[in-house]
Every structure is written in C-alpha cells, then in structure tokens.
Amino acid sequence: MAAGETVRNYRAQDFWAAAAVGVFAALVLYFSTNALQHDFNYTGRIASALLHGDLGLRAPPPPWLSEMVPRNGRYYSVFPLGAVLSVAPVALLQEAALIHNFPGRVLAALIAGLCVCFFFKLSSREGQSLGRRILLALFPIFGTWTWCNLGFGGAWQIALGFALLGEVAALYFTLVRSRPFLAGTFFALAFGNRTELLLTLPIYLYLWLPRLPRGDGDAGGLVSATRWFRGQAPNLIRFLIVPATLVLFTACYNFARFHSIFDFGYTHIQNVLQEPWYQHGLFSFHSIPWNAHKMLFEGFGNISQFPYIRPYGFGCSIFLASPFLFLLFREGGKDKLACWAAIGLLTFALWCHGNPGGWQFSYRYATILLPWMFLLLLRNGPAKISAIEGSLFTASIAINAIATYQFLWTNQIQP
C-alpha cells in the first residue's frame, strides 16, 4: 500500500473515531443535564434584535433578566458582541419560526460534542493509545465542573462553552493541522465570548509560528529575521484578519451603545457597584484572596443521606471537583512553559474579578484554563492509560456526575 494511501486511511479512521466520541459526548450531556437557566437568554434576545437592526431591546425585558442595561430608550446586554454573534444562528431559526425558546440544552450538547471531538483530534500527533486519547478527550467536559455548569444552559454558561470550543479548535489548527485562517477564526470565537482570552494571543502566535532561525553574527541574524518575517507575513495576516475584524466591530458596538470603545456596560447594571464584592471596582487586587480561596481551597459540605457530600453553590476547589488535575504537576511535556504562562495570565485576570462567578459548581471561570491543562496532561503522561490516571479519571467523573445530579435534578443545593 502506498504511503499516501496509508496516511489517508489513517486520517479517515481518526476522523470517524473523533466524530463517534463527539456524538457520544453530546448525547451524554444532553440526556444527563437539565437546562434550568435557559430562560436567561440575554445573548439570544440581542441576536434577535440585531436581525431587526437594533443593538438592544425596544420593550422592557422580563424581570429575571436583571443584567440588561436601560439607556436611551433601549435595553442593552453586557455580553460582548462575539457572544451575541455566536448565537445568531439560533436567532435566525427563531425568526423562521422553526424554534421558539432558547435551546440552551441543545447548544450545551453541541458545544460538548464539538469540544470532545477537537480534544480527541488535538491528541492525534502525540503517539497516544486510542484509550488514553478517548479518556483525555472526555476529561475536560465530564471530569470537571464543565459538565454541571454547561448543563445549566444559560447565556453565561453557553458563552463559556463557546470560549472553550474556540480555544481548543484554535489550538488544533495551530499545533496539529496548520490552518492560520481557521485558527484565527476560532480564536476570535474564544475571546469574543470571554474577552480576557485576548491575553493569550502572544502565546498562540508563539505556538503557531516557526522558531526564528539563528544567523551568523548580528548581520546574519538580521537578514535571517527579515527573511523569516517576510515568509510568515501572509500566515500572520490570515491568522489575525478575523480577530482584528471582531475587535474593530466590538469597539464600534460598544461605542454605539455606551460612547466608549472599552465600555461593555457591566458597570451600568442597576446597583451593581453597590454590591459588596465590587466595592473596589469590577477588577481589583483586593479580589484575589477571595477568588483564590474559592478556586483552590473551598471544600464540600456534608449531608446525612447519599451521596453524603454536598458542594456549596458558590464555588469549591477545582482539585476537589476534579482530582485528575493533580497530574498537572508531573514533570516533562513539550511547550510546558507556554501552557503554564497561559494558565498564569488567565488565572490572574480571573482572580482580579470582583465576583468569583455566582451560582455555580466549583469555579466555572476556570473552564477557559482547560485547553492548556489538557496539553499539559497530554504531554506529561505515558502513552497508555496508567493505573493512577484511570483511578483519578474515574473519581473525577463520579464527583462531577453527582454534582450534576444534585444541582440540576434535585433540590439538595439551594441558593
């Protein structure tokens, strides 16, 4: 058999394996969750307004949409433009009367399936066994707080899900199948839903671009650098064209609503700055200890009946929610510094936010750290599933299955 045909057969088999794992994940998430917050459809309502040429709602929103901002006869959402555009297909289906309610449960399932598919594909060049690839692909969705939080199906959770999908797909088209335009498009999906992900742009470029060649002496190095830049300029443009366009349109979107390109409207929510956690502003160094405690050290409560543990509804340690994450600290792995740099930058930004995330299981904002954690776990472990990996994965799945059941299907956990 020719080498080219062998490669094609491998790619076809890998594609169908990824599709199968993705469909499995989508079905599991759909049937295991209950979208209790699907009525919090901020982005869907604004997407529908955009179809009619409005940046906001003309009529007052229902009272549970308390984060809508009244201004100049309109009601605006504080979600970034990218989050609104992400659900534009939903608005189109509603406009065509094919659906009526915000399909939070369906969106969550689709996001989960696509994320698992891309996580599986991202591991394709690391020499991993099929079993370990499947385990690691399922882990970010079902072995972490993502399962429960995405299952709520509200605009906040769907935006985090789209951000996760954008990150992992951008990494796939950067590290495995070099497609700069697609990588940039998915990166735009990521930061369009979670603006702080713009902090990782230099790291994506570092991972995607070839290393600068070394020249002989200063003059030789300058010539090599010039040639390298000229050769990479077209790819840089392809990567940046969609993100740059989204940044420009987001700036215009913000200015048209609040007369500032940097104002997303959050401070205009009624009485939000009077809330105790925002006494130093939306972002402050004073918020770091509280966020760090919620993300790393907050424990579980206990109850007298099965399952005998009960997570608090406003945060708990990501390591208690997902013991598999203890394997992050193993030695080895390619691009380890880049992954930890991304985790560090994003964690710092998240910890500076005044509110740790409100009603949630564990620390939902840490969802955007998972693609970088996945790369560390993929590269610092063995090619086949080890006993400790299997045990910690099983424990993580069990903990998150119980939390999903408690939050979404029972009254055991209340605000």
Side-chain angles (χ1 to χ4, degrees), residues 11 18 37 82 108 118 149 167 179 228 245 295 303 361 369:
R11 288 178 176 175
Q37 296 186 1
F118 276 111
N149 290 313
E167 286 181 281
R179 296 290 187 273
W228 172 85
T245 301
M295 177 176 169
I303 52 178
F361 171 54
L369 306 180

Side-chain angles (χ1 to χ4, degrees), residues 313-400:
F314 294 95
C316 75
S317 168
I318 62 173
F319 294 102
L320 285 179
S322 182
F324 197 82
L325 291 179
F326 283 111
L327 299 177
L328 287 172
F329 305 104
R330 291 183 295 198
E331 292 294 327
K334 186 170 60 174
D335 292 318
K336 183 177 181 179
L337 290 178
C339 292
W340 279 115
I343 292 170
L345 281 170
L346 293 174
T347 300
F348 177 75
L350 296 175
W351 282 3
C352 286
H353 186 255
N355 189 321
W359 185 249
Q360 61 186 328
F361 171 54
S362 191
Y363 191 76
R364 64 184 175 94
Y365 290 152
T367 298
I368 61 174
L369 306 180
L370 289 173
W372 307 99
M373 293 177 171
F374 173 86
L375 285 179
L376 289 170
L377 293 167
L378 174 67
R379 293 168 169 178
N380 70 9
K384 296 183 178 180
I385 301 172
S386 65
I388 190 170
E389 283 185 335
S391 300
L392 290 176
F393 177 77
T394 301
S396 297
I397 292 289
I399 290 169
N400 286 279

